[in-house]
Amino acid sequence: MPTTLTDLTKLIATGEGLHLEFKRKVPSPARFSKEVVALANTQGGRLLIGVDDDGTPVGVRDAEETEYTLHEALSTCCVPLPRFATEQVPVTRRRTIIVVKVPPSTRRPHFVQDADGSRTAYVRVEDMSVEASKEAVRLMRFEQNERDVQFEFGEKELLLMRYLEAYSRITVLEFSRLANIPRKRASQTLVLLAKAKILQLHADPKQDYFTRSFAA
């Protein structure tokens, strides 16, 4: 069903969060693509163009031009291009809010490609879009591979489980120091255990961390 202004007003009232982002207008192509990529790489959501950060629905004057601009931005900057759909919701006779609906992607990870060709993945953390850690990107790539995970549960893994029983969470650097192994190996071990549903990765603006998985 089409989104009505009443629906939109209720949605805006919930405020920005994991699944919702406000923009007064389409920002630079890279910044706009960052928001869409972050939603696609996380749990999906909606981006509202024409809404101030404080939730004021100001709308945009030229909805068709705005839609063209955002389509061009995403086509140019996103690799691969996430699925998305747009919808126009009139606010006044001359102002319209553009609703960009982004489902959670089955083709993760998605990246924003800069002019120099470098690529950066983003994820959603609360009401922010932040750069995805190497572990988050590696885990997203793992999820595209349906093969069973095979690993040996050895001394270092047992040490890890005992640590989590005592402190509940651990970062890659902390595990590297705890097990006296290189950071790269610590990262690989934690990601592998997360792929096996033994651990769960939590994105954090400062530093990602792992906990025991409820499915374990």
Side-chain angles (χ1 to χ4, degrees), residues 30-41:
R31 283 188 60 197
F32 178 70
S33 299
K34 167 185 171 180
E35 306 294 352
V36 173
V37 159
L39 289 170
N41 279 341

Side-chain angles (χ1 to χ4, degrees), residues 76-121:
T76 301
C77 297
C78 298
V79 181
L81 180 65
R83 290 193 300 122
F84 69 97
T86 58
E87 184 181 10
Q88 298 182 14
V89 181
V91 180
T92 66
R93 290 178 58 188
R94 296 184 177 182
R95 293 277 184 170
T96 302
I97 290 176
I98 308 296
V99 181
V100 184
K101 300 178 180 179
V102 185
S105 180
T106 57
R107 301 175 62 200
R108 305 188 309 164
H110 296 272
F111 298 86
V112 176
Q113 181 167 282
D114 294 331
D116 62 2
S118 61
R119 297 178 180 181
T120 306

